[in-house]
Amino acid sequence: MNETSAPSTGQRVARAAIILMAAFLVSRVLGLLRQMVIAQQFATAPELSAYFAAFRIPDLLFNLIAGGALGSAFIPTLATTLARNDQRATWRLVSAVANWLMLIVGLTTTIAALFAPWVVSTFLLRGFPADLQVLTVHLMRIMLLSTVVFSLSGLLMATLYTHEHFLLPAIAPSLYNLGIIFGALVLAPRMGITGLAWGVVLGAVAHLLVQVPALWHLHARYTPLLGLRDPLVAPGVHETARLMAPRVLGQATVQLNFVVTTALASFLDPQAISALNYAWLIMLLPQGIFAQAVATAAFPTFAAQVARHETEAMRRTLTTLLRGVLFLTLPAAVGLFVLATPIVALLLQRGAFDAHSTAVVAWALLFYAPGLVGHSLFEMLTRAFYALHDTLTPVLVGVAAMMLNIMLSLVFMRTIGDPTNLTRGPHAGLALANTIATTIEALLLLWLLRQRMGGLEGRRLLHATTRLGMAALGMGALLWLGLRLPWLAALPAAAQALVGIPLGALCYLVLAYLLDAEDVHAIRRMLLRR
C-alpha cells in the first residue's frame, strides 16, 4: 500500500465512524429514554423481570442465526464478490442467503414457540413462581415474531455495510427504540407488560423498513433461489456457511452467558433480573457510542484490506483504532464506577422507580463498570479476526470465557452481597463474574491477534494504555474526593451526576495532556487545523 492511499483509508473509516457515532448516540439516547419510560412505568417489578427474561430466547435465536453470526460471515464473503465488480453475482448471492435465512429462522422460531413452556420452567426461570413463568412464555411467543423480522433486517444491514452505506442502517436502531417507547407509552397502559412486547415487534418492523430505500439506491435485484447449484452463487453461500458455523458457536457461548445469568438470578430476589438488566444497559451506553460505532465502521475496511492482502495497512488501522477505543472507554469505565448511584438516579429515578430501585441497580453497575474496557476491545478484536476469515479463534476463546463466567458466577453469587438486602445483594456477583471473564477474553484475543498479524505496535499501544489509564484513575480519585465536598454532597444524586460527568471529562483531558498522551495531542492538532 502506498503512502498516498493510507490517509484516504483512514479518512474513510473516520467519516463512517463519525456517522455511526452520531447515529449510535441518538440510538443510545433513545435507548435510555426507552429505559426511563419503562422504569417510570414498572421500576423493578417482578413482571418486568419476566419481560427481560422473555427476551433471552428470541435474542438467542437472532444472534445465533442472523445477528452477529451472519454479519461477521457474510460481510467478508460479499466484500470478495464486490471486489470482482460483478453486480449480478452480488445480488444473486444476497438473495440466496436471504432465502436460506427465512427458511431457517421461520422453522426455529416456530419450534421455540411450541416448546416455550418447557424451556422457561425447566431451564430459563426455574426459580420463578408459576404465574411469572406463564407470563414469560406469553411474552416470549410475541417477541419471537420480532426475531423473524430482525433476521432479514440484519442481512440488509450487513449488505449495506459492505457497500459502505452506513446512514440508514445506523438510523434503524433508533426506530427500534421508538417502537418500544410507543409500546411503553401507548400500549402498556392498556395492555400491561404485554404492550411492551408488541412494541418490540413494531420496532423490529421499523428497523427493517427504514433500510429498504438504500437497496433501491443500489439497484438491488431479488431472485427466488437457494443457489446451491448456481456457479455464481454457490461458492459464496458455502463460504458464508463455512465462516458462520464457528461464529454460531461463538454467539451461542455469548448468549448462553446471558441465559445462565438470568437462570441463576431467578433463584435470587425477583427484582434481581431487572436490576441486572438496567445496570448492563447503562454500562453498554458508552460501549455502543464509542467502541461499537468504531468497530462497525472499521469492519468493511478490514475486510477490504484483507481481500487486497494489505496486512501492514490493516495493522496500522487496527492499532490506531484500539488506542482510540481505550482513550474513550477507560475514563468512561472509571466514571461509571465512581458515579454509579448519581448516574442511575439521573437516568432512571422517577415515577415508580424510587431511591431503593436506584440503590439496587447502582450496586450491580459498580461491578459491571470495570468490564466496559474489555467489552469495547472485544468488539474491535473480534471484527479483526472475522475480516481475516478466522471465526474459529474467537469461538474457542469465547467458550473458555463462558465456562469461566459460569464458574465465577456460581462462586460469587454465594460469596458477594447480602441475600437479605437487595441494595447490597448477591446479584452483584453475577455482574463481577461477567466483568472478569470478558476482560480475560479480550486480553487473550489481543495476544492471539498480535501473534497472527506479526505484531500490533505493542510498545506504542502499551505506552498509550499506561498514560491513559493513569489519567483515568486520577480523574476517578478527584471525582471521589469531590463527591465528599459539603456543597456537592448536599446536592441530589441526579444533580451530582450533572456536575460530576463534565467535571470528570475535563479532569481526564487535562491529566492526559499533562501525561503527554499521544491521542490528546492528536485531538488538539485536529481542532487547531479546523
Side-chain angles (χ1 to χ4, degrees):
M1 185 176 184
N2 59 44
E3 293 298 324
T4 58
S5 62
S8 63
T9 298
Q11 290 169 3
R12 188 168 63 252
V13 174
R15 284 195 297 267
I18 290 171
I19 291 172
L20 288 167
M21 279 189 182
F24 282 15
L25 176 60
V26 173
S27 174
R28 293 294 173 167
V29 169
L30 288 174
L32 275 178
L33 179 60
R34 178 188 81 189
Q35 296 307 318
M36 290 163 65
V37 171
I38 292 173
Q40 183 174 347
Q41 299 275 67
F42 298 100
T44 54
E47 59 265 31
L48 186 62
S49 290
Y51 165 80
F52 287 136
F55 251 114
R56 292 304 176 209
I57 300 304
D59 200 42
L60 169 67
L61 294 177
F62 167 70
N63 282 284
L64 286 183
I65 301 171
L70 178 62
S72 61
F74 189 56
I75 288 178
T77 303
L78 190 60
T80 302
T81 305
L82 280 174
R84 297 196 299 264
N85 294 318
D86 189 341
Q87 289 298 311
R88 182 170 180 268
T90 295
W91 295 115
R92 287 177 70 84
L93 175 60
V94 173
S95 299
V97 174
N99 293 332
W100 277 110
L101 189 63
M102 289 298 96
L103 286 174
I104 296 172
V105 172
L107 177 62
T108 53
T109 52
T110 300
I111 294 173
L114 291 174
F115 286 91
W118 179 76
V119 171
V120 170
S121 61
T122 306
F123 295 106
L124 189 60
L125 294 177
R126 193 170 181 177
F128 261 30
D131 59 332
L132 287 179
Q133 291 182 1
V134 171
L135 176 60
T136 303
V137 170
H138 173 64
L139 298 175
M140 183 188 300
R141 285 172 168 167
I142 294 172
M143 287 190 284
L144 281 169
L145 297 173
S146 69
T147 302
V148 179
V149 180
F150 258 136
S151 298
L152 183 57
S153 184
L155 177 65
L156 296 186
M157 184 174 285
T159 302
L160 295 178
Y161 281 157
T162 309
H163 285 85
E164 298 193 2
H165 185 111
F166 296 100
L167 181 57
L168 293 183
I171 292 173
S174 295
L175 296 183
Y176 171 64
N177 284 322
L178 287 174
I180 299 180
I181 291 171
F182 177 83
L185 291 177
V186 178
L187 301 181
R190 304 176 183 179
M191 305 169 64
I193 200 73
T194 302
L196 278 181
W198 282 113
V200 171
V201 177
L202 292 175
V205 172
H207 190 282
L208 170 66
L209 293 180
V210 72
Q211 299 181 74
V212 173
L215 293 178
W216 292 337
H217 176 73
L218 294 172
H219 306 291
R221 294 181 180 180
Y222 171 75
T223 305
L225 83 163
L226 295 178
L228 293 182
R229 297 182 179 179
D230 188 323
L232 291 176
V233 175
V237 173
H238 292 156
E239 178 68 2
T240 300
R242 185 188 72 81
L243 293 175
M244 191 173 172
R247 179 61 174 144
V248 167
L249 180 58
Q251 281 293 321
T253 62
V254 173
Q255 295 302 315
L256 186 58
N257 277 326
F258 293 130
V259 172
V260 169
T261 298
T262 300
L264 293 176
S266 72
F267 290 97
L268 305 175
D269 190 283
Q271 300 179 62
I273 293 177
S274 56
L276 284 168
N277 197 81
Y278 282 127
W280 171 259
L281 292 174
I282 292 173
M283 185 272 290
L284 287 185
L285 174 63
Q287 185 259 7
I289 296 173
F290 304 140
Q292 190 175 347
V294 174
T296 302
F299 188 21
T301 298
F302 289 160
Q305 287 172 335
V306 170
R308 296 191 299 263
H309 306 289
E310 298 172 350
T311 304
E312 181 60 32
M314 181 180 172
R315 183 186 296 116
R316 289 197 304 269
T317 303
L318 178 60
T319 303
T320 300
L321 294 178
L322 286 175
R323 292 200 335 266
V325 168
L326 289 169
F327 173 75
L328 295 169
T329 57
L330 281 170
V334 174
L336 285 175
F337 183 86
V338 176
L339 298 174
T341 299
I343 287 174
V344 174
L346 173 66
L347 298 178
L348 301 178
Q349 189 172 316
R350 57 189 55 82
F353 200 102
D354 56 14
H356 172 77
S357 298
T358 293
V360 173
V361 174
W363 176 239
L365 182 58
L366 282 174
F367 293 85
Y368 269 137
L372 171 62
V373 178
H375 283 287
S376 300
L377 291 177
F378 175 84
E379 288 286 334
M380 186 67 65
L381 295 169
T382 51
R383 282 170 171 80
F385 274 106
Y386 302 150
L388 292 166
H389 291 230
D390 180 2
T391 53
L392 181 59
T393 299
V395 168
L396 297 177
V397 176
V399 170
M402 177 198 69
M403 296 173 63
L404 177 62
N405 182 49
I406 293 173
M407 290 188 294
L408 292 177
S409 295
L410 291 171
V411 173
F412 290 159
M413 69 182 292
R414 290 178 171 85
T415 57
I416 292 178
D418 180 1
T420 64
N421 179 14
L422 194 59
T423 61
R424 289 294 183 270
H427 61 292
L430 301 177
L432 180 60
N434 179 276
T435 290
I436 294 175
T438 301
T439 301
I440 293 175
E441 181 181 17
L443 292 175
L444 184 55
L445 284 174
L446 179 62
W447 181 79
L448 291 172
L449 188 61
R450 181 175 178 271
Q451 303 301 311
R452 173 72 179 271
M453 299 190 68
L456 287 175
E457 301 181 4
R459 185 169 297 178
R460 188 179 181 188
L461 190 60
L462 178 61
H463 179 274
T465 303
T466 301
R467 300 198 177 205
L468 294 175
M470 292 173 61
L473 291 175
M475 176 205 75
L478 292 174
L479 280 178
W480 185 84
L481 292 172
L483 289 175
R484 278 142 186 83
L485 294 174
W487 70 271
L488 190 53
L491 294 176
Q496 291 178 1
L498 291 174
V499 174
I501 292 173
L503 182 61
L506 179 61
C507 290
Y508 172 70
L509 290 174
V510 171
L511 289 172
Y513 182 83
L514 293 175
L515 289 168
D516 199 29
E518 179 181 354
D519 297 272
V520 177
H521 290 289
I523 293 174
R524 177 177 172 271
R525 288 192 298 268
M526 181 184 68
L527 292 176
L528 289 175
R529 286 198 304 268
R530 295 298 180 189

